Amino acid sequence: MIEKLKRAENKKLFSNLISLSFLHAVNLLLPLVTFPYLVRTLGIEIYGLVIFAQAFISYFSVIAEYGFNFSGTREISLTKNNIEELTTTYNSIMTARFVLVILCLIIMAAVVFSFEKFSMHCELYFFTFGSVIGTFLFPTWFFQGMEKMKYITILSVISKVIFTISIFVFVKSPNDYLLVPLLNSGGYIFVGIISMILINKTFNVPFKIQNYKNVRRHVQEGYYIFISTISTSFYTTTTTVVLGLVTNTTMVGYYAIAEKALRIIVAMFSPFTQTLYPHIIQLVRKSSEETVVFLQRILNFIIIISIFIWIIGVIFAEPIFHLLFSQNVNHSIVIFRILSPLIVILPIASILFNIVLLPFKMDKYFSRIYMTGAILNLLVLGILLFGFKLSTTGAAISLLICEFTITIYAAIVLQRNNIKVFTFYK
């Protein structure tokens, strides 16, 4: 009987991994088509402006998500077998996110209309904000917690395909730059509406506004994760925003090309994290020792694969960049090579933070480490940008230092708490 249950569990895990792997294959391939096309069509300066707007709006995405992508997944995973608790959890989180989206829209509008740098492109920021609304409508955390990854795959692929086709059909010159956020937001909102209908019809969980008491409990549950995600923005998003404020959108464009290329490569590891997270939550409840052994094997595999990809990326960066972009992107190649160790560091960090610290209920450490990273990045970024007058290279070095530091910090915390995920087995 136990063996039968284990086989069923492994089959479900494998199915979820296949679904998310396909999704991330699409997420890798489609940007590889649209990303170079947008750089060539819009030009580096206008492309940098679009990226700056996305970076600015991403602050509001973080606030609206409030860490529910992790705490919500965890709560859904623990209540999925009780329809009453499941419905309350889903609606409490959706109500909280709805209020946060409205609040974010008000704050964003106030900032945009208060500063000329933003108001001169106000349409760009409002169109880009549509992605925040779309993310609210598309509760990936619900499907992850239910371990129904195929729904995420189908809906996300529909969104990506709509956006990709629309980009090639409608964006023909730099004057069409406003269509980029408009089409992107439209795709998110469309699949978001479909997902809410799907949750209602398939899982019998309708959306109903919840009372303050229920909402407050789930807000408190996600507090530490929210603090950590806000902190994360201070060494990822803030780097782009600061570059845009102290330099110009051309420099943002060069930096964005390198970082985007890096993120596309690192995204290959996301299916492991997303698939394993709800599985690890259940595994921890059964046996901490068994969970650690499982994590050790996963981490060893990730380290070997990421080192191989890093070496390939460094060797072939120059010819690939020149093949994809028709403009002079030598500066982006330099930035990419500075950032390239993150191809190894980020997948390891994702394992340590997202599928070790959180399932083991170490939320306080989770937020504390990210807050340390945020403070460190602001200090290093300030020194390199204003002290040494390094712009894009300074931003890249700062991000690298920060990510490396918090990964080491997380490893030390786990080791001290006797969660030895770095023990290699023969």
Side-chain angles (χ1 to χ4, degrees), residues 33-277:
V33 177
T34 56
F35 168 39
Y37 176 78
L38 287 174
V39 173
R40 293 195 302 266
T41 304
L42 300 180
I44 291 177
E45 183 179 0
I46 299 298
Y47 179 75
L49 176 62
V50 172
I51 293 298
F52 177 78
Q54 290 177 358
F56 172 65
I57 294 301
S58 69
Y59 285 122
F60 301 105
S61 291
V62 171
I63 295 172
E65 287 174 0
Y66 193 78
F68 289 130
N69 281 349
F70 294 110
S71 65
T73 299
R74 185 169 62 195
E75 290 300 300
I76 294 295
S77 178
L78 296 174
T79 60
K80 64 183 179 182
N81 296 320
N82 184 318
I83 187 63
E84 185 177 342
E85 289 185 19
L86 177 67
T87 302
T88 301
T89 298
Y90 168 72
N91 283 304
S92 297
I93 293 174
M94 289 297 286
T95 301
R97 291 188 65 172
F98 175 73
V99 173
L100 289 169
V101 168
I102 298 300
L103 179 64
C104 287
L105 180 59
I106 294 170
I107 296 172
M108 188 273 292
V111 172
V112 167
F113 290 122
S114 297
F115 300 95
E116 185 180 356
K117 189 176 183 68
F118 293 96
S119 61
M120 62 191 297
H121 299 291
C122 61
E123 299 96 337
L124 176 63
Y125 297 101
F126 278 98
F127 289 162
T128 305
F129 189 85
S131 63
V132 180
I133 298 172
T135 303
F136 153 68
L137 293 171
F138 184 23
T140 56
W141 45 270
F142 179 87
F143 295 111
Q144 277 185 263
M146 297 295 292
E147 296 191 77
K148 299 293 183 181
M149 310 306 188
K150 65 179 181 180
Y151 293 109
I152 299 176
T153 301
I154 294 169
L155 293 171
S156 296
V157 168
I158 290 172
S159 173
K160 299 291 183 183
V161 170
I162 290 173
F163 173 71
T164 300
I165 294 173
S166 300
I167 286 294
F168 285 101
V169 171
F170 298 108
V171 180
K172 300 294 185 182
S173 72
N175 294 328
D176 299 324
Y177 74 98
L178 287 176
L179 291 176
V180 177
L182 188 62
L183 294 170
N184 187 40
S185 297
Y188 273 114
I189 292 172
F190 174 71
V191 298
I193 293 171
I194 292 176
S195 71
M196 292 190 71
I197 295 172
L198 189 64
I199 290 170
N200 188 2
K201 300 295 184 182
T202 305
F203 301 99
N204 195 29
V205 180
F207 175 52
K208 295 179 181 178
I209 297 294
Q210 293 292 294
N211 59 46
Y212 174 74
K213 182 180 178 180
N214 287 337
V215 173
R216 184 182 64 179
R217 182 171 70 84
H218 290 284
V219 168
Q220 290 173 338
E221 183 70 26
Y223 173 75
Y224 288 111
I225 300 174
F226 171 63
I227 295 299
S228 66
T229 51
I230 280 286
S231 301
T232 305
S233 296
F234 280 100
Y235 64 85
T236 52
T237 301
T238 297
T239 302
T240 303
V241 173
V242 170
L243 271 180
L245 292 174
V246 303
T247 59
N248 53 61
T249 55
T250 301
M251 289 293 101
V252 172
Y254 282 124
Y255 180 82
I257 289 170
E259 189 184 23
K260 180 87 169 179
L262 180 95
R263 299 289 179 185
I264 288 174
I265 295 172
V266 172
M268 289 190 292
F269 297 94
S270 295
F272 290 98
T273 306
Q274 287 184 283
T275 302
L276 291 172
Y277 180 55

Side-chain angles (χ1 to χ4, degrees), residues 295-365:
L295 288 168
Q296 288 166 350
R297 292 169 181 166
I298 292 296
L299 197 56
N300 292 347
F301 173 76
I302 292 293
I303 290 171
I304 292 169
I305 296 298
S306 62
I307 290 174
F308 175 75
I309 295 173
W310 175 33
I311 294 170
I312 297 297
V314 171
I315 293 173
F316 294 102
E318 189 168 348
I320 291 174
F321 270 67
H322 286 303
L323 176 66
L324 292 176
F325 309 103
S326 61
Q327 305 188 41
N328 181 8
V329 289
N330 288 332
H331 190 57
S332 294
I333 296 171
V334 172
I335 299 167
F336 176 82
R337 283 180 170 155
I338 294 172
L339 291 172
S340 65
L342 293 178
I343 295 172
V344 178
I345 295 169
L346 290 178
I348 295 173
S350 182
I351 296 291
L352 298 184
F353 284 98
N354 299 336
I355 66 171
V356 184
L357 285 173
L358 291 181
F360 277 90
K361 287 282 189 176
M362 301 173 71
D363 296 16
K364 289 185 179 181
Y365 287 111

